[in-house]
Amino acid sequence: MRQTVDRIVDEPRWVLCPGCTTPVYGKRWRRNLSVCPECGRYTALSAVERLTQLVDDGRYEQLDLEARSEDPLQFVDTVPYPARLVQARARTGLDEAVLCARATVEGVPVVLAVMDFRFLGGSLGSAVGELITLAAEVALAGRTPLVIVSASGGARMQEGVLSLMQMAKTAAALAQLDEAGVLTVSLVTDPTFGGVAASFATLCDVILAEPGARLGFAGRRVIEQTIRQQLPAEFQTAEFLLERGVVDRIVPRPRLRTELGRLLRAATDADRPVGDARPVGAGRSSHSGRPEPGEGLVRDPGRLPEADAWEQVRRARDLTRPTTLDYLATAFVDFQELHGDRISGDCPSVVGGTAWLDGRPVMVIGQQKGHTAAELSQRNFGMPMPSGYRKAARLMRLAEKLRLPVVTLVDTPGAYPGADAEEQGQAVAIAENLRLMALLTVPVVTVIIGEGGSGGALALAVANRVLAFSSAVYSVISPEGCAAILWKDPAAAPRAAAALRVGSRDLLRLGVVDAVVVEPDGGTGADPLAAADALRRALADSLGELRQLTGPQLRADRRARFRQYGSALTVESELRTMSQPRR
Ligand SMILES: [Zn+2]
């Protein structure tokens, strides 16, 4: 059945905004996607309105799925349940509180399940659970991404404990899509609570939310009665949850289709050849043509000049050097940042998301510093909290699921050494990333773009290929820290830097980095675009090599790479090389 919706029937001539009570001309209200043009208040959309706004040209094909609510408990409150269903169907024109359809979003085929709050408060009954499960099964059969738009007060009381079971059923359906590597996206709209919030609305790979949308397990009134306190106004809003790592992005209604399209393209184009994979409008004319292998990369330490170690440390920390976000804007295209660890927070010292590199989608994760005191302070000087490492882990697992190569950009003085970081398990977060990265079966390439500080750097750097810019440093401890402990004098930091052999030439000689990316004259900060170009070529080169390997080979290659450190053969040969006289 092909359905085209050009306009919403029964369009009211005037709409009274529930936020500011301004009367708004109906056509203007619709044109503004049911967001008040005066006060910005978002109002609920019906499932049909939502689908029409979200998909290309408003065209969708409703899925022909069989599921209708029964009355298994013969439930009667003030009104018998069957009578409520009859009323809801008459009022909404829907069979149930969810509408499932097939469509394209920015040209990418998707299966959508869109809830309608007007139908018994969007409650999750057996038929809703069944329809969402069937939609997931359609998505699985066609390996088509699934988009679920939620709006719900929770489980449907009138169907009792059978409603509760729908949470487990839909969760299992999403787990199958995880196993099959099919992207799932949740769009949270106001309100999404209870059993819906605690199942499919939050189990998707990416959680988008409309501004101000409330999401939670328990409702505000229940919580306030339980704790006998008033909750802040912003409690459980999308903005509140973004800060706490629960949602990935807050997307204004007019941008939803575009942003959804970006995610879908990155997730579905991973296996396509270069020519087909470049997103529309994302081309960079200066970057056509494949680089020659090895171009801009130095693998022979003898070709690198001897440099004073302390001078290297100072250059690696130079605030003019491009940061991860700078490179994401220059060496990559179409970066779609994803936020939060889904556990405790959204660490500002780690940024990550999908992006395109040389016509192919990748997952990029990096530590973020800044150029000014304000930026540095906002990013906690690039020193991640456990939530930063857990966000990185979440994105790496997503990359593994979607078969996206992982690119990490390392630039940190170290993991944040604070009491709160310890309380939240900093050591565990780092350790778990080391193990996770050893298990990945997608290509992983790391570039140390500035400072590679200790375990906090390594937690993003268990890669198949580890590269470093020529002024980058990588060390087990900061030279200052080493000087304080071994020399009992922080002023001995320059001597400690030399003794620790932190510079790129020594790192290459030790085999800790595989190649050095030559910086522009004067460093990456002196010519950020040239640096970005060198980075892009180095990454494209390394990923091109790794693409020849199978998943098990990639994992074995990475394990072998790290297995060699400290084995007798390596140490002996490295000592011999390093004992050569130095100027
Ligand atoms: Zn208003």
Side-chain angles (χ1 to χ4, degrees), residues 17 20 36 39:
C17 170
C20 63
C36 175
C39 73

Side-chain angles (χ1 to χ4, degrees), residues 48-298:
V48 169
E49 289 171 310
R50 173 67 67 182
L51 269 168
T52 308
Q53 288 186 12
L54 211 50
V55 305
D56 296 340
D57 306 319
R59 292 169 63 92
Y60 60 88
E61 180 191 348
Q62 193 177 334
L63 295 178
D64 191 14
L65 304 175
E66 278 298 314
R68 255 177 104 84
S69 283
E70 307 287 332
D71 185 14
L73 309 185
Q74 301 185 327
F75 192 92
V76 180
D77 50 287
T78 53
V79 182
Y81 177 42
R84 284 194 190 277
L85 286 170
V86 169
Q87 286 168 6
R89 283 176 188 138
R91 201 169 51 239
T92 60
L94 298 173
D95 279 344
E96 256 304 337
V98 64
L99 188 58
C100 301
R102 202 193 284 281
T104 63
V105 173
E106 302 276 302
V108 182
V110 284
V111 172
L112 302 107
V114 180
M115 300 191 79
D116 194 318
F117 194 79
R118 297 170 310 156
F119 196 107
L120 299 182
S123 54
L124 173 61
S126 298
V128 173
E130 181 67 14
L131 287 165
I132 285 172
T133 302
L134 288 169
E137 286 167 0
V138 170
L140 178 66
R143 299 190 57 84
T144 314
L146 176 68
V147 176
I148 304 178
V149 183
S150 299
S152 176
R156 189 173 295 175
M157 287 176 282
Q158 291 89 345
E159 291 183 32
V161 75
L162 293 176
S163 292
L164 189 68
M165 297 304 125
Q166 303 310 314
M167 296 167 64
K169 182 166 98 183
T170 52
L174 288 180
Q176 281 187 293
L177 292 176
D178 289 341
E179 283 175 343
V182 176
L183 177 74
T184 56
V185 180
S186 166
L187 170 61
V188 172
T189 73
D190 190 64
T192 295
F193 277 96
V196 169
S199 61
F200 52 85
T202 51
L203 282 177
C204 290
D205 296 321
V206 177
I207 304 178
L208 308 177
E210 286 198 324
R214 289 162 300 158
L215 168 83
F217 186 57
R220 165 187 288 266
R221 258 182 305 159
V222 173
I223 301 169
E224 286 182 336
Q225 281 164 16
T226 308
I227 64 172
R228 295 171 195 284
Q229 277 174 32
Q230 274 237 285
L231 293 163
E234 74 279 10
F235 187 71
Q236 291 178 321
T237 60
E239 293 74 7
F240 178 92
L241 295 169
L242 181 73
E243 268 180 40
R244 285 156 184 80
V246 177
V247 307
D248 282 285
R249 297 179 69 82
I250 298 173
V251 189
R253 211 168 265 176
R255 288 220 311 269
L256 271 171
R257 190 189 322 166
T258 322
E259 292 219 3
L260 194 53
R262 263 193 212 174
L263 272 173
L264 292 166
R265 269 197 306 269
T268 49
D269 285 5
D271 293 324
R272 291 197 211 163
V274 178
D276 295 340
R278 184 175 286 264
V280 179
R284 278 162 52 98
S285 56
S286 62
H287 289 158
S288 57
R290 305 272 301 160
E292 293 294 310
E295 184 187 334
L297 282 179
V298 173

